[in-house]
Amino acid sequence: MRFTDLALAWRLLRRDWRAGELRVLAAALILAVAAMASVGLFSDRVKLSLASQANDLLGADLMISGDRPLPETFAREARARGLAVSEAVRFVSMTGAGQAVAPVLTEVKAVDAAFPLRGQVLLVDQALPQGRAARGVPAAGEAWIDRRLARRLGLELGGRIHLGEITLRVTAIVFQEPEASTGFLAVGPRVLINRADLAATGLLVPGNRAVYRLMVAGGDVEVYRAWAQGALQRGQRLETIRDLRPEVRQTLERAEKFLGIASLVAVLLAAVAVALAAGRYLRRHLDASAMMRCMGAPQRQVLGLFIAQFAWLGLAASLVGALLGYAGQALLASLLNFVSASGLPAPRFFPAAQALGAGLLLLLGFALPPLFALASVPPLRVLRRDLGLRTGGALAYALGVLVIAGLVLWQAQDWATGGWVLLVMLLLLAACLACARLLLALLRRLPHRGYNWRYGLANLRRRPLAVSLQVSALALGIMALLLLTLVRGDLLRTWRATLPADAPNTFLINIQPDQIEALGQFLKARGVSNTSLYPMVRGRLVEKNGRAVSPRDYVDERAQRLVDREFNLSWMTELPKGNEIVAGKWWGAAALPGPSRAPDSKREQLPPDGAAKGQEGGGMSLEQGIGESLGIKLGDRLVFDIAGQTVSTTVTSLRKVQWDSFRVNFFAVFPPGVLENMPRSHITSFRAPAETRALAGDLVQAFPNVLMIDVTEIMAQVQNVMDQVARAVQFVFLFTLIGGLLVLQAAIAATQDERQFDAAVLRTLGANRRQLAAAQLAEFATLGALAGLLAAGGATLLAWLLSREILNIPYRPDPWVWVIGVGCAMIGVALAGWLGTRRILDRPPLWVLRDVA
Amino acid sequence: MNLNDPPPAIRVADLAKEVKSGETPLVILDAVSFSVAPGEAIAIVGASGSGKTTLLGLLAGLDRPSRGEVWLHGEALGALDEDARAALRGRLLGFVFQSFQLLPALTALENVMLPLELAGRPDAETAARDWLERVGLGARLGHTPKQLSGGEQQRVALARAFAGDPAMLFADEPTGNLDGATGAEVAELMFRLNRERGTTLVLVTHDLSLAARCQRRLRLAGGRLVADEPVASGS
């Protein structure tokens, strides 16, 4: 192609643009690119942040962690190989600061002088906004707290914190430390102390899930890694930055996929708009093409000119879309501010370029076939107007469908997911189309009076396929938004309403056997009575039916985690409330050996003698869900390792547990008489009196090791995260709604000539402007109402399914879904339709009729 | 004909066009032969359906004949593919149509510029302005066809046809959509430009007074050339 032709194509494009021929096309393209770029740029920033932080994240090159103290051999071996070593213990505890403020559940990390081996601890410094690098670690008797804890406890430098049985002086506020920078999923505020103080806190008692860590860095860490890998025992893990936090990474990858696919719904609708607009462009440019050929331009040149024109258009629109995408991703990041709490790196260019390329591909996929048809218009058309209106038919869209399928696969990142998404998209569209056609057919049977309605509805009926397409496109967008706003709120409210008013809101964990009596009195004195204390022993599943159990036996990540971790095991006589036996039999009190009773504080202090090694208990009860995850059935023989002793047992019952009762529940329950002599702690839940602040303060004072978990607070946090996620998803689905409106505009534009002709004829026959406007309004309001009905129906169906199948709550239909869905759709679509067609009424009918002649 | 003579502008030999209409072929044009000398103005007349427009399409290489051959300035169209015929059109021919065939999205100036731009002429805009001045539309360069009257539109079409400096002008009922007075003005302009530029003119019309201004009249009836006669009053 000649350069002059490229320039000519640009000029032709500008002329067409001025004539308003390409606006819907450009808008659709801008939308598609903006949707893809917003999500792509945002995901990339999150990934980038993970990658850039990964190096500092461990504070070492390699980390071995275990839920029990690690054997000396790991450190010895590392030192022998000339590697640097640092040991740390991480656990959760209540941290207080005197009577004035409530203690806070805190993550404590006790470190030695070598910490951190990689990266650095940054401390808050008024003069340096980026923080000041710390030298060393807190000295014994000192604590470094993070900004969150300082805020929560109202502490400044020099203040004092109470941790377990000791009091520490705050000598620094941490701005950022290795690991803290993960930002996501961080449980609570953090405090850094010296390992020398650890024992004195008295917090490392059974039941406290402390994690013991050995960090290693230096020269040949790979050889050490190979050695250590072989020396790992159950419950010990080796991590390098390569396999860092797989669950975070997986969660993010899933979120990225989901948002990517959600944005593709908008892209799909944009593609429909592009196809419609390209078809119109084809029809409007048949004469131009024939004329150019008549003037001596060879077919090659004409095709080249049209393609170049579209390429220019695609480039310009995609650039605008990419720019909007930059704004969109910033908005996404601010909507999801729990992710960006640690500050995301600046967006890169690459994902925007990808979206831009995808936009061009989309345009070519849907516009190329019409352009080829356009370039092959016979030049004889200048004399014979009936020639040349030959579109490629269904085959012409095959290329476009291929492009869409490619985009879906690209976003889904694997064949199976991509295939499913494509299938679901197709089914959804087909269902929408079928419903829309059904509604149209019903409409025909409705009696309607008056010219305006009759003419307006006739306009809908005469293009059933196009109208169904418009209704479906709009309904998809509206439905997504209804689900995320009204329906989500409804479901949440219904779920909350199913919770009993006296549902426990406070958990106390890590209660030591010798504290039970005192704690009972403590609670009673504060108006909390009838609390049940449950004993808890931590044990690991090591064998199933004579075979060793390993995380590697499972594909499912949840199962892997479950096996890797220690279970909380308990024992009790009665089947607790909210539990239901679904298989096997619960042990009756009579069947139990000896006079053992359910948790009873006097008994707890006097565990029966006798080793439990190899002991055969009276069976055990397993929660149904975990049984499914781990592939454990009724009658399976299991062996648990509890603090070095093994207990073998048989699964005699499976239970269904109502987890959202907020009562204490366990996956694995034994009958009394099996676990009593194991190291144990206790757990309880209760509904705290309104003022929990004083309770928490007193509790920490009296029982420094006991952890108090405020359910209300956690629920508020979860709610907050859910709200943010919902807003972000809403934002992405907003693109879908705009996509639906663009399809509407494209369809209006595609029928513009027909409409103009109709209007001209009607006006010649004496219809006035107001009547025509009313007929158009009737048409679009009906179109909107159909889309709204379909959307509300779809949203209601999904809400019903969610309530029944997933949330297990009673379904309450919400009339507002219908009122708002149909109402907003009617008004919105009528408005959009009026905007799209109002110019029709402005053109004198004579012009129109003369043009047609 | 002497061998040293320049070839006729148009030579047509035994031209025929048939189209399949159901089972039986429909003969639109049959055994038409004639020649047109350079600079000559001929009118092709006949009733509706006599094959006038089909003949014009074949002469311009817009369509292929079923039989026979057309030579433009000695070049046989039958030997050329569509792109080569297009190139020939671009080099030799200008067109004026009954329905003007201006592109509605373009201004008057842009419509005239288009063929020049397609030919890659760097002076497209100056030449187009110049031609619009000549047809008396210098003040309406930025108007789109919808903002122009029928007569004005046809004058833009004339400017477009002549701007490429064609050797031949093919006009299909150029005044057919215009009222009498406007039609006469446009016809006057067309014949004047034709004279000035020494262009060969092929005019398809059923307007006898327009045909009378040509030197020769070819009459078609039922697809056959029934008369090839000089026009007495032709200038």
Side-chain angles (χ1 to χ4, degrees), chain A residues 15 18-19, chain B residues 102-113 125 128-129 132-133 136-148 152 156:
Chain A
R15 293 168 193 170
R18 195 187 52 210
Chain B
L102 298 179
L103 301 186
L106 306 190
T107 61
L109 180 65
E110 288 162 353
N111 263 295
V112 179
M113 279 164 69
E125 190 174 340
R129 277 175 189 282
L132 280 166
E133 292 280 353
L137 291 174
R140 318 216 42 186
L141 302 176
H143 288 67
T144 56
K146 282 196 178 118
Q147 294 162 320
L148 299 172
E152 286 167 334
V156 175

Side-chain angles (χ1 to χ4, degrees), chain B residues 127-213:
Chain B
R129 277 175 189 282
D130 192 35
W131 270 101
L132 280 166
E133 292 280 353
R134 281 207 223 182
V135 300
L137 291 174
R140 318 216 42 186
L141 302 176
H143 288 67
T144 56
K146 282 196 178 118
Q147 294 162 320
L148 299 172
S149 72
E152 286 167 334
Q153 287 190 56
Q154 196 61 305
R155 281 196 267 164
V156 175
L158 277 171
R160 180 177 67 181
F162 278 105
D165 207 10
M168 285 180 260
L169 180 69
F170 284 19
D172 179 25
E173 300 279 14
T175 59
N177 270 4
L178 303 173
D179 62 64
T182 316
E185 276 173 42
V186 167
E188 180 53 43
L189 178 65
M190 182 178 74
F191 280 108
R192 179 165 63 78
L193 292 175
N194 188 51
R195 255 193 328 273
E196 284 171 14
R197 315 295 294 181
T199 320
T200 310
L201 175 68
V202 177
L203 172 67
V204 167
T205 185
H206 59 253
D207 179 347
L208 291 179
S209 66
L210 204 59
R213 302 183 65 164

